[in-house]
Amino acid sequence: MKLISSAVTALYVGFVAWSLYGAVVPIETYVFRMVHMGFIFALAMLVFPSSKREKHWTRALDIGLALLGAATIVYALWDLDKFIRRSTLPDPADFIMGVVAIVLLVEISRRAVDITFTLVLVGFLLYAFFGHYFPGPLSHKGYDLDRIVGHMYMTLEGIFGVPLAVSVSFVTLFVVYGTFMDVAGAGTFWLDLSLAVMGRKSSSAGRGALITTALLGGPQGSGVATTMSVTPVMWPILKQAGYSADMAAGLIAAGGIGAVISPPLMGAAAFLIMQFLNVPYWDVVIMVTVPTLLYYLGTFFIVEIASRKHNFVPPETTGKSAWTVIRTQGYHLISLIVLVILLAMGRSPEDSAIWALLATVLSSYFSRDRTQWLTPRRILEAVAEGARNMLPVAALLAAAGMIVGVFSL
């Protein structure tokens, strides 16, 4: 088990390092996306077990499937030029490997996402095969398995399509950037700032939770990561104020999920918009600003209504003013400022993310708490944590590529 754990950590580091390398050095498109997919195959099978009741034979099965998934990528890369040319008429070996890759990706979606999405995915694949049975405008001539497998596995229209490109090019870098900020102690900064400005009213605890998720969610760009980061800190405060467990969980989750539309990072969908509509990243940031403000304003009103209904207890003050918090911990804003300025100047999202990561590492040394310094060891830990947060998103985007592939077919 320790060997597997070490292997997973090494794969996590390689998973992120590949995206960082691709952001600095141009890599052939097929190779860039396929290697990323190879990491997803290997990691997803090892990180998300086939059964909750883990036994020796199930662990052996997961390892075997991880190796099999990686083998489908090695096979494709072995003679890539000829592999690409055969996409309309796959060889028997191409067909077998393609079927294996598609089936494994469906299984990964079941493990890493959920059964509902998996059923939708399977429904689209069946639609590609049985389309001639559908009525009216939904009907099409139908495609045989060779054509479907070739399109999904051997072109840039299926598994290795735009969603996977978004995963390897943009989302990985920004998710890791959010993790770097969290490891450097930015979560504490946002929490202290929200507690300093929320006042002492019955709605103050709810306001604090909401403001904290809003401030932390923008830089993290992940609803799940934001919710998980805020919950351990805010739950005791909300509980003391009189919130039930369900109410507190609902509030923090509602605030956290706003991260997927909150600038400057947003979620994977923002990068898909950028790629599909061919618009600059900065334009997408401008587009989401008003919806984000409206979302949190609406949630803010709900917090106010609930606090008046339940007459919650005001939280204890920390004694810190907003100016004190900014003066002592405001260095966490440096990387965000760097990111926003570079994006406004028209630099690519990848380039901006790289510089923001570097700014986060350097600014962490302004902290008086040495445990928040991003030393080489803590950088590796942050990289692994970022990859862990990114894996379900990457699996979802890779599987979504097949849905897009059905439309393009």
Side-chain angles (χ1 to χ4, degrees), residues 38-165:
F39 279 112
I40 295 173
F41 273 134
L43 281 167
M45 291 300 179
L46 296 175
V47 174
F48 304 105
S50 55
S51 173
K52 292 181 179 179
R53 296 181 178 180
E54 191 172 310
K55 298 180 180 179
H56 290 298
W57 71 269
T58 59
R59 202 57 180 156
L61 174 64
D62 293 336
I63 294 172
L65 293 177
L67 294 174
L68 187 59
T72 64
I73 302 301
V74 172
Y75 171 81
L77 292 171
W78 189 260
D79 194 347
L80 185 59
D81 289 338
K82 291 183 179 179
F83 176 81
I84 296 170
R85 293 194 203 102
R86 297 194 302 264
S87 61
T88 53
L89 291 171
D91 287 348
D94 299 333
F95 178 79
I96 293 172
M97 285 299 199
V99 170
V100 169
I102 291 171
V103 171
L104 288 179
L105 187 49
V106 171
E107 170 63 7
I108 286 173
S109 75
R110 182 192 70 83
R111 296 187 185 193
V113 189
D114 61 30
I115 189 63
T116 304
F117 175 78
T118 304
L119 292 175
V120 171
L121 175 60
V122 172
F124 271 94
L125 293 174
L126 293 175
Y127 172 62
F129 187 74
F130 294 107
H132 54 285
Y133 290 112
F134 282 73
L138 291 176
S139 178
H140 63 82
K141 65 179 182 179
Y143 297 91
D144 58 26
L145 286 177
D146 277 0
R147 183 70 190 281
I148 294 173
V149 170
H151 188 74
M152 296 296 177
Y153 174 59
M154 304 176 72
T155 72
L156 295 179
E157 299 292 337
I159 296 174
F160 309 113
V162 172
L164 192 71

Side-chain angles (χ1 to χ4, degrees), residues 31-381:
V31 176
F32 192 37
R33 299 181 189 182
M34 284 181 170
V35 172
H36 182 68
M37 189 66 233
F39 279 112
I40 295 173
F41 273 134
L43 281 167
M45 291 300 179
L46 296 175
V47 174
F48 304 105
S50 55
S51 173
K52 292 181 179 179
R53 296 181 178 180
E54 191 172 310
K55 298 180 180 179
H56 290 298
W57 71 269
T58 59
R59 202 57 180 156
L61 174 64
D62 293 336
I63 294 172
L65 293 177
L67 294 174
L68 187 59
T72 64
I73 302 301
V74 172
Y75 171 81
L77 292 171
W78 189 260
D79 194 347
L80 185 59
D81 289 338
K82 291 183 179 179
F83 176 81
I84 296 170
R85 293 194 203 102
R86 297 194 302 264
S87 61
T88 53
L89 291 171
D91 287 348
D94 299 333
F95 178 79
I96 293 172
M97 285 299 199
V99 170
V100 169
I102 291 171
V103 171
L104 288 179
L105 187 49
V106 171
E107 170 63 7
I108 286 173
S109 75
R110 182 192 70 83
R111 296 187 185 193
V113 189
D114 61 30
I115 189 63
T116 304
F117 175 78
T118 304
L119 292 175
V120 171
L121 175 60
V122 172
F124 271 94
L125 293 174
L126 293 175
Y127 172 62
F129 187 74
F130 294 107
H132 54 285
Y133 290 112
F134 282 73
L138 291 176
S139 178
H140 63 82
K141 65 179 182 179
Y143 297 91
D144 58 26
L145 286 177
D146 277 0
R147 183 70 190 281
I148 294 173
V149 170
H151 188 74
M152 296 296 177
Y153 174 59
M154 304 176 72
T155 72
L156 295 179
E157 299 292 337
I159 296 174
F160 309 113
V162 172
L164 192 71
V166 167
S167 174
V168 64
S169 299
F170 308 122
V171 184
T172 301
L173 296 178
F174 279 91
V175 169
V176 171
Y177 166 59
T179 306
F180 268 50
M181 286 198 70
D182 196 37
V183 172
T188 304
F189 166 63
W190 300 124
L191 175 62
D192 288 347
L193 185 61
S194 65
L195 291 174
V197 302
M198 69 183 179
R200 280 186 52 79
K201 297 182 179 179
S202 61
S203 59
S204 293
R207 286 182 190 175
L210 187 61
I211 294 172
T212 303
T213 53
L215 293 174
L216 184 60
Q220 281 200 332
S222 170
V224 174
T226 302
T227 303
M228 295 299 291
S229 299
V230 172
T231 298
V233 181
M234 284 308 305
W235 163 233
I237 298 174
L238 292 172
K239 183 178 181 181
Q240 185 180 23
Y243 280 80
S244 67
D246 289 343
M247 292 175 66
L251 174 60
I252 296 174
I257 201 63
V260 301
I261 61 168
S262 297
L265 266 64
M266 305 167 286
F271 299 98
L272 289 173
I273 291 170
M274 183 185 72
Q275 289 291 94
F276 280 119
L277 300 186
N278 194 27
V279 296
Y281 181 78
W282 184 248
D283 286 0
V284 180
V285 172
I286 295 172
M287 290 176 194
V288 303
T289 300
V290 171
T292 302
L293 292 174
L294 290 174
Y295 177 81
Y296 281 110
L297 184 62
T299 313
F300 187 87
F301 283 136
I302 294 172
V303 169
E304 290 292 326
I305 292 170
S307 65
R308 297 187 183 192
K309 178 181 178 181
H310 297 282
N311 195 25
F312 293 128
V313 178
E316 297 179 3
T317 180
T318 60
K320 295 180 181 178
S321 66
W323 167 245
T324 301
V325 174
I326 293 175
R327 182 171 53 82
T328 57
Q329 303 178 60
Y331 59 86
H332 289 295
L333 295 171
I334 294 175
S335 64
L336 273 176
I337 293 171
V338 169
L339 177 66
V340 172
I341 289 176
L342 290 176
L343 290 173
M345 290 172 58
R347 302 288 286 270
S348 69
E350 305 100 299
D351 191 32
S352 302
I354 292 290
W355 283 105
L357 279 168
L358 181 60
T360 304
V361 173
L362 296 177
S363 62
S364 70
Y365 286 91
F366 290 128
S367 174
R368 295 179 180 178
D369 183 359
R370 293 193 175 190
T371 61
Q372 295 180 351
W373 291 4
L374 287 176
T375 59
R377 180 178 179 179
R378 287 182 62 77
I379 288 175
L380 287 177
E381 293 174 355

